[in-house]
Amino acid sequence: MSNQKLFKGSLQTIILKLLERNAKMYGYEMVQHVKQLTNEELNITEGALYPALHKLESEGFVEVEVLKVGNRMRKYYSLTKSGVTETSDRIGEMSRFLETMEQLITSKTKLA
């Protein structure tokens, strides 16, 4: 997607939806999952992902579990109970927004 600004405002919602679908994920896994789901149209950078994850954690929507994988420690993120509710709310808002945008861009009506 050439205009990353459109995507930037949706990043937290994307993260919440990924965690809803996958129970728990680590950051790099999220990046790769989004690339795969969007045929590489969306590219999440670490510089955008981790601040968004930290914000969701500070708001109580995401929790972190650190696990040792091989010789390294890995942070896994998952939804809290309030995160599940927030995901549902944000997906509803996003759906309504997309419907409204669809009406605007496909409308053939001229204003007087």
Side-chain angles (χ1 to χ4, degrees):
M1 178 176 287
S2 61
N3 192 341
Q4 292 289 317
K5 291 177 186 178
L6 292 172
F7 154 71
K8 186 178 178 183
S10 306
L11 182 55
Q12 288 186 5
T13 304
I14 291 167
I15 292 168
L16 291 171
K17 188 62 180 176
L18 285 172
L19 293 175
E20 179 187 62
R21 285 185 189 154
N22 297 287
K24 68 179 181 181
M25 300 178 82
Y26 56 96
Y28 180 76
E29 183 179 24
M30 290 180 204
V31 169
Q32 294 305 308
H33 206 80
V34 169
K35 277 185 184 179
Q36 180 183 18
L37 287 171
T38 65
N39 294 319
E40 299 193 18
E41 285 289 320
L42 296 181
N43 184 21
I44 301 175
T45 64
E46 288 182 15
L49 176 67
Y50 290 104
L53 282 166
H54 295 152
K55 177 98 168 105
L56 289 168
E57 182 184 7
S58 72
E59 292 173 339
F61 301 135
V62 169
E63 59 191 5
V64 179
E65 178 183 13
V66 180
L67 299 173
K68 188 170 186 176
V69 177
N71 292 330
R72 58 192 303 197
M73 302 304 282
R74 183 175 283 163
K75 284 185 177 182
Y76 283 90
Y77 299 88
S78 59
L79 294 178
T80 62
K81 286 183 182 181
S82 61
V84 171
T85 302
E86 184 69 12
T87 301
S88 177
D89 292 346
R90 289 192 187 197
I91 295 301
E93 288 174 11
M94 180 66 73
S95 293
R96 288 187 296 279
F97 173 75
L98 292 172
E99 288 171 8
T100 301
M101 291 303 296
E102 181 71 20
Q103 289 172 354
L104 284 171
I105 62 175
T106 61
S107 175
K108 306 244 189 263
T109 304
K110 290 186 179 183
L111 298 177

